[in-house]
Amino acid sequence: MGALVTLELPAGAPQLDLPWIITFGPLDDDEEWEPVVCGPYERPHALALAQHIVADEDLMAVVEPLLPAISLEQIRAEIANAQDLAAEAADEIDDVLDDDTDSDEEHDHDHDDHVAEAPSADDLKAGFARISARLTGS
């Protein structure tokens, strides 16, 4: 069983409407391979896909919003924010890795965005269309 890392956001947070990506990488520091980035997806689809993959594989999946920055200042601010949060995220990952149980029952999955079934290809394509419309203002 792998690990899933994502942001816990309050209902109505503006990031919830952004496109989300999944980065799959090795769970073990001894493994060396290039991470695989998938997306963009709507958040519930990204979480469902990541949950299904890490349930079967010893991988780490990081689900995060894709930030369509339109200026250097925005990019620099996001980099600074990411650097500030790096220690906090490392602590969360350590907590997940230190968990000596393999039971999903101990994890909190009572979120509105939890999807029990993996989204179909048609669901994902419809999500792509909605993301495109939001990004282009169509």
Side-chain angles (χ1 to χ4, degrees):
M1 179 177 185
L4 172 62
V5 179
T6 191
L7 299 172
E8 292 296 327
L9 299 170
Q15 296 91 338
L16 294 172
D17 288 333
L18 291 173
W20 287 66
I21 58 171
I22 311 166
T23 304
F24 295 101
L27 185 61
D28 187 352
D29 288 339
D30 294 335
E31 290 186 55
E32 291 189 28
W33 49 275
E34 290 296 316
V36 174
V37 179
C38 300
Y41 305 105
E42 292 176 306
R43 187 171 191 262
H45 290 165
L47 289 171
L49 291 168
Q51 288 169 349
H52 282 271
I53 296 294
V54 300
D56 298 332
E57 304 284 336
D58 286 336
L59 300 173
M60 167 127 4
V62 178
V63 178
E64 59 191 336
L66 179 63
L67 303 171
I70 55 173
S71 72
L72 291 174
E73 293 76 23
Q74 282 182 307
I75 294 169
R76 287 186 177 110
E78 290 302 326
I79 291 169
N81 186 41
Q83 290 169 335
D84 291 342
L85 295 175
E88 186 177 314
D91 289 342
E92 288 178 24
I93 291 168
D94 287 343
D95 291 345
V96 170
L97 296 176
D98 289 341
D99 185 9
D100 59 1
T101 65
D102 288 337
S103 171
D104 246 3
E105 295 173 358
E106 293 187 18
H107 299 285
D108 181 16
H109 292 291
D110 294 334
H111 301 289
D112 291 336
D113 57 10
H114 176 71
V115 178
E117 298 291 324
S120 69
D122 288 339
D123 290 337
L124 295 174
K125 289 177 184 177
F128 295 154
R130 290 187 294 269
I131 289 168
S132 177
R134 282 195 300 266
L135 291 176
T136 59
S138 301

